[in-house]
Amino acid sequence: MPGTVLLLAASPVGKGCLVDAASVLPVLAAVPPAVLAGTDTANVVELADPLEPQAVLTRLRAAAAAAGPLTVFVTGQLQLDRRQRLPHLALARTTPSTLRYTGFPWHWFREELRLRAAGTTTVVVDLHADAEAWGWLRGHALECGPTAAVYGRVAPPPGRRTVAAPTYMKAVATILRSGGRPAAEQLHQMALGRIAGEGEVGDLVLGTAAWAPPREVVAPAPDVIPTDPHAAISTAVRAGRHVDADVLAARWQEAAAGAHGAGSEEALHWAEVRADLAMFAGDAERSCRTWLAVAAARLGAGQAVDAPAVEAAVDRAHHQWGRIADTARARDLGPALAALRARVPGRRQGALDHVQRQLQQLQLQS
């Protein structure tokens, strides 16, 4: 099956730049696509110093939807936003004061990659952290979702007025250009050996295997126990068996609710899976309703209005609402979305105004 490769290199323009991220792209681009992906054929998407986080999200989402193996190469710098203290990949227009709106939230990687089958996703990173992000990493893991294997390094802040080089990623590219395609773990170790020989020390090394089925979830029924339910669901979606995929997710949601409670993270995870499945099936109304329910459940459980999972649920409900073709059904859901948007404005300025304007237009069409 063809592979997909996403090359993402980003760093701010100007004095806030910690690493010359884009310098690695010519080296990576010189590697044949099939070698980058570790497959016979592959499609490569390159993002060099992107300006808008939504543009990155669109490309990542498209790559995550690909059926075959996915390899994501990320080079850049890690910073914390001042409001939530969450890590972001800084983009070209990012400054410390605008990071929340101009950077790419790291948890978006998890959100977009979570439905992929285990063993099909590899993320290779070469990041430089600013002082605050470096401190955050002492007590937090930097991961990309339960089904993604992550390899790479995060380097501490470089010296003042110093722009670092992405030496780890360049080492990865150099090894791949030699013509071989070692396994991800071996490639990772070979790259670390090269940069260690060049005097690079003090890095945080990342090397995590992909997801294993959670032991704490009670199996729904003997006849529907896949080793990896996410893989079984993904297979059903790719085959166009959307009803089967939703039935399987519903059974796991019911099992999680029975074991942990309807408002538990385990149960809400499967509700989110079902919202995505409705989107894949082209049922925007059902997807919107489900995301609205997930957002309401999280808020009802006391989660903050700017918690990443709450914002993501409202953002996705908003997106699916805009895709509902039936005017009457969109009009019916509009007030609930507007009420949530009033509480959860999200990261995109003017989101509430957009809902209110669209709702007014829908009401005029009644």
Side-chain angles (χ1 to χ4, degrees):
M1 187 174 293
T4 301
V5 177
L6 178 62
L7 307 178
L8 171 57
S11 56
V13 175
K15 62 181 181 180
C17 181
L18 301 180
V19 57
D20 183 10
S23 66
V24 77
L25 287 178
V27 190
L28 282 171
V31 180
V35 176
L36 284 173
T39 56
D40 292 338
T41 60
N43 300 310
V44 178
V45 177
E46 180 177 310
L47 289 173
D49 282 328
L51 301 177
E52 300 291 341
Q54 290 296 326
V56 179
L57 179 61
T58 298
R59 296 298 182 90
L60 175 62
R61 185 168 292 168
L70 170 64
T71 308
V72 182
F73 296 87
V74 183
T75 308
Q77 66 188 61
L78 206 63
Q79 297 178 214
L80 296 188
D81 74 283
R82 293 177 174 177
R83 183 174 178 181
Q84 292 180 291
R85 314 296 295 172
L86 292 176
H88 290 60
L89 182 71
L91 303 184
R93 293 176 177 171
T94 295
T95 65
S97 62
T98 66
L99 178 66
R100 177 172 166 80
Y101 300 101
T102 61
F104 188 81
W106 194 264
H107 63 264
W108 284 5
F109 283 107
R110 179 184 180 90
E111 287 292 323
E112 297 306 319
L113 300 177
R114 63 194 170 90
L115 278 184
R116 289 187 57 82
T120 65
T121 310
T122 303
V123 182
V124 182
V125 304
D126 187 351
L127 302 169
H128 283 71
D130 69 1
E132 291 183 332
W134 187 249
W136 181 89
L137 287 166
R138 295 175 183 173
H140 301 81
L142 191 71
E143 45 85 29
C144 295
T147 65
V150 182
Y151 298 97
R153 63 91 180 251
V154 184
R160 292 187 60 186
R161 299 181 181 179
T162 300
V163 177
T167 52
Y168 171 86
M169 196 66 78
K170 287 185 175 180
V172 167
T174 300
I175 294 166
L176 293 177
R177 286 182 66 184
S178 67
R181 182 52 162 93
E185 173 64 30
Q186 184 182 359
L187 176 64
H188 171 61
Q189 295 298 334
M190 292 169 68
L192 289 176
R194 290 203 176 202
I195 63 175
E198 297 173 5
E200 299 254 347
V201 295
D203 296 350
L204 172 64
V205 176
L206 307 175
T208 62
W211 178 84
R215 288 174 293 178
E216 71 274 12
V217 174
V218 178
D223 61 333
V224 293
I225 303 178
T227 304
D228 179 353
H230 295 82
I233 289 169
S234 297
T235 299
V237 170
R238 288 196 296 271
R241 295 185 287 107
H242 299 288
V243 173
D244 291 345
D246 185 64
V247 167
L248 180 56
R251 290 178 179 177
W252 280 88
Q253 181 184 5
E254 182 180 357
H260 305 285
S264 65
E265 279 298 322
E266 292 83 355
L268 288 175
H269 164 75
W270 288 107
E272 292 175 344
V273 169
R274 296 186 69 192
D276 281 336
L277 292 176
M279 176 191 67
F280 293 144
D283 191 341
E285 179 193 1
R286 180 160 59 91
S287 182
C288 178
R289 287 185 185 277
T290 308
W291 282 119
L292 290 173
V294 168
R298 290 190 178 281
L299 290 169
Q303 295 187 24
V305 296
D306 59 356
V310 174
E311 286 188 338
V314 178
D315 287 345
R316 292 185 176 202
H318 189 163
H319 180 262
Q320 289 300 297
W321 181 67
R323 292 177 174 268
I324 299 174
D326 188 294
T327 300
R329 294 181 178 183
R331 186 170 55 246
D332 289 343
L333 283 175
L337 177 61
L340 268 178
R341 266 296 180 216
R343 297 180 64 187
V344 186
R347 294 166 179 264
R348 300 193 69 177
Q349 296 180 357
L352 175 58
D353 291 340
H354 176 266
V355 174
Q356 292 173 335
R357 287 195 306 270
Q358 291 297 109
L359 186 54
Q360 288 175 354
Q361 293 179 7
L362 290 170
Q363 289 169 344
L364 290 175
Q365 297 175 28
S366 61

